[in-house]
Amino acid sequence: MFHTEDVKKWNKEVILKIIENLKENVDEARYEISKQTGNVMSIIYNICVKFKNRTKDQSEEFSIILKKPTQFEFLRQTIRSDVQFHNEILFYRMYAQPNENFAKCFYIDERPPFDSVIALENVNEQGYYSCACPCKTNTPLEYTLAAMREIGRFHGKGYVMKELQREKFFAIVEQLQEIKYDKMLDENRIIFLNLTATRAVEYLRNQGYDTAFCDRMEALLSNAFDKVMMKTVESREPLSTLCHGDFVLDNILFKTENGQHRAILIDFACLRYSTPVVDLSTYLYLSCSNEVRKDKFFEIIRAYHDALKEYLLEANIWDSEKYSYDALLDDYKIGGLFGFVIASFYLPILMGYVIKGHLTCINEFENEETAKQNKQLGGDKISKILADMLLHLRDLGCVE
């Protein structure tokens, strides 16, 4: 059968609770599980709920995405799925509002390690879908600009709550749990990041590039976890806000109306309190080609800043000094290497190079051996892409 009896019973109990939340206008409700999928972190069910609306006296239906943590103990501990669900449940419970540009949340229940659940509106019904570009690392400019406008509004929401509901805002921040950047979590991750981060420098050395620059970059990037990642994720006032934390193409959906592209963010498991560069650099170095990033960098950042400014003006908290375009660029110069370090190990995987026998070689197998293998994925093609990224970061003033 498609589902075990236990899974069917669990789904029924959850869906009945969702239907109860729809209040008194629902009658003759029933549901169909159309598809079961999943990823490393969760099991996902697509569910269609059909019912009679007593108020309107007509039949209606809506589609739900039901997320539940992975049942595999090894994966659960490795990727800390209970923490990821905690952060996303916190997001929907205390942060997202019904009238905002997020998927509607029908039901949440935090019962780690296996029985937490998040039930969300399937925004495909609104016309939102994944970007259909053939390569996730070369997003068309119009989609990138839409994504930047949306993350600008997202960061703006954090600033507004921080200014107007400070106590509530920091109550959320204090409840967020760290997943990736904590020395106490996993020594293997530190080793992995430090070893893979120097790939571009090694390529530049082999090409006979400036020795002094290579020496300086090797000294920095061989300790990338401390000197880049930990330094960047630390809060820096006044620009720290609530950041998505995993702002990549997989976590953005798009729709087109009257020739205009709009974006919506999904998956808030890596939510964190940091400055905007955490999200901006992650997207730019994982989802944009070197050509687009080099030629359109300032246009992309301007689109982000314009959306942020508009949001803050509407909320009447705009501060031309605190949130200025120059302040944003200065923040980028301080932390721009953050996305580059992620790209140093993740870009070859996004481009289709996977270590044989490993699921993703990112979360599950981060250690010295896989770091050495990772640095060979894609050969000189990947190494040159990373080297060009590093040189562009130098030109932007991010490696001073």
Side-chain angles (χ1 to χ4, degrees):
M1 296 179 66
F2 188 72
H3 300 283
T4 67
E5 292 304 315
D6 285 344
V7 170
K8 284 185 175 181
K9 181 180 178 182
W10 177 85
N11 275 326
K12 183 177 180 179
E13 290 174 354
V14 171
I15 294 168
L16 287 175
K17 291 176 182 177
I18 293 169
I19 292 170
E20 287 176 9
N21 289 345
L22 297 176
K23 307 300 182 184
E24 66 283 345
N25 64 329
V26 172
D27 199 8
E28 301 175 10
R30 63 191 189 280
Y31 68 92
E32 298 172 356
I33 301 175
S34 59
K35 184 168 61 174
Q36 175 186 347
T37 57
N39 52 38
V40 173
M41 186 183 85
S42 53
I43 304 166
I44 299 172
Y45 302 95
N46 285 25
I47 299 172
C48 180
V49 177
K50 301 179 180 181
F51 59 94
K52 183 177 180 180
N53 188 319
R54 284 201 293 260
T55 303
K56 299 179 180 179
D57 192 29
Q58 65 184 35
S59 296
E60 295 184 5
E61 64 179 61
F62 59 86
S63 181
I64 293 176
I65 300 293
L66 202 62
K67 299 170 64 174
K68 185 179 181 182
T70 178
Q71 301 296 294
F72 295 104
E73 180 68 14
F74 167 69
L75 287 179
R76 186 190 68 76
Q77 292 185 0
T78 302
I79 65 173
R80 308 189 74 216
S81 62
D82 51 342
V83 174
Q84 296 198 41
F85 267 76
H86 165 82
N87 288 343
E88 186 154 25
I89 287 171
L90 179 66
F91 172 83
Y92 285 108
R93 177 175 287 149
M94 295 186 66
Y95 194 66
Q97 298 298 313
N99 60 340
E100 294 174 330
N101 191 36
F102 305 117
K104 182 178 179 181
C105 183
F106 292 109
Y107 179 76
I108 48 177
D109 188 16
E110 185 170 6
R111 290 191 291 165
F114 300 121
D115 292 322
S116 295
V117 61
I118 303 172
L120 301 171
E121 166 193 19
N122 185 343
V123 294
N124 293 159
E125 303 297 317
Q126 294 186 35
Y128 284 100
Y129 288 92
S130 298
C131 179
C133 60
C135 180
K136 293 180 181 179
T137 62
N138 188 14
T139 311
L141 179 62
E142 59 269 25
Y143 287 94
T144 288
L145 295 176
M148 287 294 154
R149 289 190 290 268
E150 188 57 29
I151 199 65
R153 289 186 283 267
F154 184 82
H155 291 162
K157 172 179 167 59
Y159 290 134
V160 171
M161 181 178 280
K162 185 178 172 182
E163 291 281 349
L164 303 181
Q165 298 175 281
R166 191 171 184 84
E167 187 175 336
K168 180 180 179 181
F169 178 80
F170 281 104
I172 295 171
V173 171
E174 289 172 5
Q175 292 180 63
L176 290 172
Q177 295 183 21
E178 183 57 64
I179 297 172
K180 297 179 180 179
Y181 304 111
D182 185 335
K183 284 188 173 182
M184 303 300 293
L185 293 178
D186 188 356
E187 184 179 351
N188 280 338
R189 170 177 286 272
I190 299 173
I191 294 170
F192 186 92
L193 281 174
N194 289 344
L195 284 173
T196 55
T198 58
R199 178 173 180 170
V201 179
E202 292 173 8
Y203 175 83
L204 288 172
R205 280 195 191 281
N206 290 335
Q207 298 300 309
Y209 197 77
D210 179 65
T211 301
F213 176 79
C214 290
D215 288 346
R216 187 156 54 92
M217 288 300 96
E218 185 171 18
L220 174 67
L221 294 173
S222 61
N223 195 13
F225 188 87
D226 284 335
K227 293 185 177 180
V228 177
M229 311 310 280
M230 294 295 290
K231 178 182 175 182
T232 305
V233 298
E234 290 177 354
S235 62
R236 287 197 306 276
E237 302 304 339
L239 282 184
S240 285
T241 185
L242 218 55
C243 293
H244 184 280
D246 195 15
F247 184 52
V248 295
L249 202 59
D250 280 345
N251 293 329
I252 311 165
L253 303 178
F254 300 89
K255 73 174 179 179
T256 304
E257 290 181 329
N258 301 319
Q260 299 295 314
H261 298 284
R262 296 185 59 190
I264 189 171
L265 305 181
I266 59 173
D267 292 343
F268 301 94
C270 296
L271 204 67
R272 69 178 317 112
Y273 182 62
S274 299
T275 66
V277 70
V278 166
D279 285 338
L280 299 180
S281 67
T282 297
Y283 182 93
L284 284 170
Y285 295 104
L286 290 182
S287 302
C288 294
S289 68
N290 278 349
E291 291 72 24
V292 167
R293 190 170 45 254
K294 183 177 180 180
D295 295 342
K296 302 294 183 179
F297 176 82
F298 293 104
E299 180 181 347
I300 291 168
I301 297 299
R302 180 64 72 177
Y304 164 85
H305 187 260
D306 286 348
L308 172 67
K309 181 177 179 179
E310 182 181 8
Y311 192 100
L312 299 184
L313 282 169
E314 289 178 358
N316 200 30
I317 70 156
W318 170 252
D319 183 320
S320 59
E321 182 176 348
K322 184 188 296 185
Y323 306 116
S324 71
Y325 181 70
D326 288 339
L328 172 68
L329 287 180
D330 287 343
D331 180 56
Y332 196 91
K333 289 177 182 179
I334 293 171
L337 279 166
F338 182 88
F340 167 79
V341 172
I342 298 174
S344 292
F345 69 85
Y346 195 28
L347 188 68
I349 297 159
L350 277 179
M351 296 183 70
Y353 303 98
V354 180
I355 298 174
K356 186 176 180 181
H358 288 179
L359 294 179
T360 67
C361 72
I362 306 167
N363 288 313
E364 296 88 340
F365 301 99
E366 289 181 332
N367 54 47
E368 184 171 354
E369 180 57 33
T370 53
K372 292 177 180 177
Q373 295 179 60
N374 182 284
K375 290 176 79 168
Q376 304 303 315
L377 294 176
D380 282 351
K381 176 182 178 180
I382 297 295
S383 296
K384 185 179 187 307
I385 292 173
L386 293 171
D388 288 343
M389 282 184 191
L390 185 59
L391 295 179
H392 183 237
L393 281 160
R394 177 205 59 189
D395 294 341
L396 291 172
C398 299
V399 299
E400 299 302 326

